[in-house]
Amino acid sequence: MRIYLDNSATTRLDDDALAEMMPYFTEKFGNPSSLHAYGREALKAVDEARAEIASLIGAKASEIYFTSGGSESDNWALKGAIYASKAKHKHIVTTAIEHPAIIETCEYLEKKDGVSVSYVPVGKDGRVTPEAVIKAVTPDTTIVSVMFANNEMGAIQPIKEIGAFCREEGILFHTDAVQAMDSQAVDVNELNVDMLSMSAHKFHGPKGIGVLYIRSGVRIDRLIAGGHQERRGRAGTTDTPLIVGMAAALRKAVAHRDEVNARVAKLRDGFVARVLKEIPYVYLNGGMEHRLPNNANFSFGFIEGESILINLDLNGIAVSSGSACSSGSLEPSHVILALGVPEELAHSSIRFSLGRDTTEEEMEYTFKVLKESVEKLRSISPLFNMEKGTGSYV
Amino acid sequence: MYNDKVLQVFQNPKNAGEIEDANGVGTIGNASCGDIMKIYLKIVDDVIVDAKFKTFGCAAAIATASVATDMVIGKSVEDALKIKNADVVAFLGGLPPQKIHCSVLAEEAIHAAVEDYRSRASK
């Protein structure tokens, strides 16, 4: 049995989306920039996909810019805004829990361009408060960037409130909505966002395609120079099949959103309750109230996350870990640490991200294997006494 | 990432546990860094007759602890100290480069356990 509980890493490509993509790999292979019939039929598909994606987020087609994915969209939004600004002092307000595509771009701009950056901390529930974000804004603030929902512990951020403030103050507001598109209603006007990043493969679309929504009137520099594609915003041959697949996947995700959310949340809630009740020394990372319906993230005391991950994997279950060892760095997840979780427990964190195809049987089996894995690893942990059933870090 | 040999050893590690009458115990690492390796040695007439480990750590740390303890059992203390981490990694058919750091723990903990044995013996 193989069980996929890593849907925040990537999702299975939707069969209908694949079917819609296929002709554009082969018989309709034309370059949408070409003037001839081959080009025109490809351009028609791109135009339709652009219009459809726009309408699904309450935007205009002319505000949709195709990119290679979430990371490029995030890089472009921040670098583009900073490089377009003529101000002497530039300042970014973001959060401590952003995706590395935002954090490392901020660090780059700090180092290379002397931009100052404020990283707003989060509470135990994994959320920033609008007040804390507003307080971090200065007269030099060029752009505010707050993720819609966190990829590791699923905390949904108060985007609408922050957006309303930024709109009022006339400050650019970007949100990385990569993890939110599958399950959250996204309307760029209701949210008052100026820019929004998304990535198709997080909602059963193909890998290698994303969007940066840029509100009309917002001017940012381009990152990729070369051609006139994307209204001179982003050079590079337009990837017709991926764009078609992205639109098809988003259409389906939006159409089934409420029903999928309800089903997934029920499975997730049952799993969380059971893990907390039946496995000792387990801690849920992040709060339950404002959380993506498919996310569960725990720390398991006295054992290390990567070894739990590998043990689950050897039993056919795919998950992620925030341990240093699973990332190749020496530091555990910055997101789990930002919650105030001690380092030793951050090393023990495991993310379960359910999907629309997850079943009750799968979660039942996962719980059983998880419980056994935790017991097995604790039996060889120097921090845990199996006879007494207690552990200590001291 | 990990090869099949590493996964197989991780799944069925040998010598996991404690030795109640160990006369050399060594611990390396700490929980906040994500690794603790504890090695127990039972040494009779300068020969390691038993070795066990307890590990808080990743699959590489657990697999190397299993192999390293297996390698030192039956060896004289002097010969056991000659076993290098590279020997353990080679036995496992290699480890990903970022995992070498975790694999050194077993060797270091064995050295610490021998040191503990020697300091007890000199008392």
Side-chain angles (χ1 to χ4, degrees):
Chain A
M1 179 149 51
R2 288 220 304 177
I3 297 176
Y4 188 73
L5 296 175
D6 204 12
N7 287 279
S8 291
T10 195
T11 56
R12 182 190 192 283
L13 179 62
D14 180 74
D15 290 329
D16 295 332
L18 176 63
E20 283 190 44
M21 291 164 68
M22 288 308 278
Y24 295 96
F25 284 114
T26 50
E27 68 262 32
K28 299 181 182 179
F29 65 90
N31 186 329
S33 298
S34 301
L35 295 178
H36 46 62
Y38 289 89
R40 286 198 306 275
E41 71 180 356
L43 181 63
K44 183 168 175 280
V46 170
D47 283 346
E48 284 171 10
R50 193 189 303 278
E52 180 160 32
I53 291 170
S55 80
L56 290 167
I57 63 167
K60 293 181 279 211
S62 59
E63 297 173 318
I64 301 296
Y65 293 81
F66 290 109
T67 67
S68 62
S71 292
E72 185 190 327
S73 293
D74 284 349
N75 269 262
W76 185 19
L78 292 189
K79 288 178 183 164
I82 290 296
Y83 294 148
S85 162
K86 301 222 164 33
K88 195 163 169 228
H89 300 288
K90 299 172 193 180
H91 176 233
I92 298 172
V93 174
T94 187
T95 79
I97 56 158
E98 295 296 314
H99 188 274
I102 290 290
I103 300 233
E104 289 181 22
T105 300
C106 285
E107 288 169 354
Y108 175 89
L109 291 167
E110 281 180 289
K111 225 183 250 169
K112 272 271 210 221
D113 301 280
V115 175
S116 53
V117 182
S118 302
Y119 300 92
V120 177
V122 296
K124 262 179 77 99
D125 62 352
R127 301 183 88 214
V128 293
T129 63
E131 295 74 30
V133 173
I134 291 165
K135 230 181 120 187
V137 169
T138 73
D140 290 336
T141 302
T142 317
I143 183 169
V144 173
S145 179
V146 177
M147 72 194 331
F148 197 122
N150 182 264
N151 47 310
E152 293 189 37
M153 45 67 193
I156 299 165
Q157 306 300 321
I159 295 305
K160 198 172 164 180
E161 292 83 344
I162 296 166
F165 166 80
C166 290
R167 174 59 42 82
E168 186 96 345
E169 297 291 316
I171 300 168
L172 266 185
F173 180 42
H174 165 256
T175 187
D176 171 350
V178 165
Q179 289 292 336
M181 296 308 298
D182 204 31
S183 65
Q184 306 300 304
V186 172
D187 182 301
V188 291
N189 294 315
E190 209 172 286
L191 295 171
N192 281 311
V193 296
D194 296 310
M195 293 191 275
L196 179 145
S197 303
M198 56 170 122
S199 176
H201 75 101
K202 306 289 191 187
F203 49 81
H204 301 275
K207 291 168 186 62
I209 188 78
V211 156
L212 181 64
Y213 155 80
I214 308 175
R215 184 177 292 281
S216 54
V218 169
R219 292 276 171 269
I220 64 169
D221 277 14
R222 67 174 176 177
L223 280 194
I224 300 180
H228 61 274
Q229 293 90 350
E230 300 300 299
R231 302 171 300 292
R232 293 195 65 80
R234 198 268 191 189
T237 301
T238 310
D239 203 327
T240 315
L242 298 190
I243 288 169
V244 166
M246 181 171 190
L250 189 59
R251 181 196 316 139
K252 197 159 179 177
V254 171
H256 298 281
R257 199 174 260 159
D258 293 345
E259 169 239 324
V260 170
N261 282 354
R263 184 155 39 83
V264 167
K266 191 170 170 234
L267 288 175
R268 189 272 316 268
D269 290 348
F271 181 68
V272 168
R274 199 164 173 203
V275 168
L276 292 177
K277 186 166 168 247
E278 295 185 36
I279 304 179
Y281 299 105
V282 174
Y283 312 90
L284 181 71
N285 294 317
M288 280 305 273
E289 198 186 340
H290 301 278
R291 189 179 196 117
L292 293 176
N294 73 326
N295 175 288
N297 188 310
F298 306 98
S299 285
F300 298 89
F302 316 116
I303 50 180
E304 195 273 339
E306 194 236 55
S307 60
I308 306 172
L309 181 155
I310 299 288
N311 216 64
L312 293 175
D313 179 44
L314 289 167
N315 287 283
I317 301 164
V319 299
S320 284
S321 168
S323 83
C325 259
S326 59
S327 67
S329 76
L330 293 174
E331 297 295 320
S333 154
H334 70 287
V335 173
I336 303 302
L337 291 176
L339 301 173
V341 172
E343 273 185 317
E344 56 270 27
L345 283 175
H347 283 294
S348 303
S349 69
I350 294 284
R351 176 187 72 186
F352 300 84
S353 48
L354 287 64
R356 66 187 191 190
D357 300 323
T358 304
T359 66
E360 204 168 334
E361 292 70 40
E362 288 179 336
M363 295 315 291
E364 179 74 32
Y365 175 75
T366 299
F367 174 79
K368 194 179 130 257
V369 172
L370 174 66
K371 192 162 190 268
E372 287 165 6
S373 300
V374 169
E375 277 166 15
K376 180 180 170 185
L377 291 166
R378 280 181 182 163
S379 76
I380 62 170
S381 168
L383 306 171
F384 198 78
N385 184 322
M386 286 303 277
E387 275 160 43
K388 293 185 186 150
T390 58
S392 163
Y393 280 101
V394 193
Chain B
M1 163 98 159
Y2 290 128
N3 66 41
D4 290 348
K5 175 78 180 170
V6 176
L7 293 174
Q8 184 246 319
V9 175
F10 165 71
Q11 201 169 17
N12 304 293
K14 289 203 221 162
N15 311 316
E18 296 173 25
I19 300 173
E20 264 180 37
D21 58 344
N23 51 2
V25 180
T27 307
I28 290 291
N30 64 70
S32 61
C33 291
D35 299 299
I36 301 175
M37 179 72 70
K38 194 165 185 180
I39 297 275
Y40 300 83
L41 298 178
K42 174 78 186 162
I43 300 170
V44 178
D45 297 333
D46 254 23
V47 171
I48 297 171
V49 295
D50 199 7
K52 286 201 185 300
F53 76 90
K54 283 212 151 179
T55 302
F56 166 88
C58 62
I62 291 169
T64 49
S66 169
V67 171
T69 46
D70 233 21
M71 282 182 169
V72 299
I73 293 172
K75 288 211 167 56
S76 69
V77 169
E78 204 181 317
D79 286 346
L81 290 178
K82 286 181 194 151
I83 296 171
K84 292 284 161 243
N85 183 53
D87 304 325
V88 175
V89 174
F91 180 88
L92 286 167
L95 280 170
Q98 73 270 26
K99 289 290 167 185
I100 299 299
H101 151 86
C102 317
S103 71
V104 183
L105 294 166
E107 180 188 334
E108 289 177 353
I110 287 170
H111 283 243
V114 167
E115 224 166 89
D116 177 51
Y117 160 74
R118 284 178 174 162
S119 78
R120 289 190 205 193
S122 67
K123 270 177 195 163

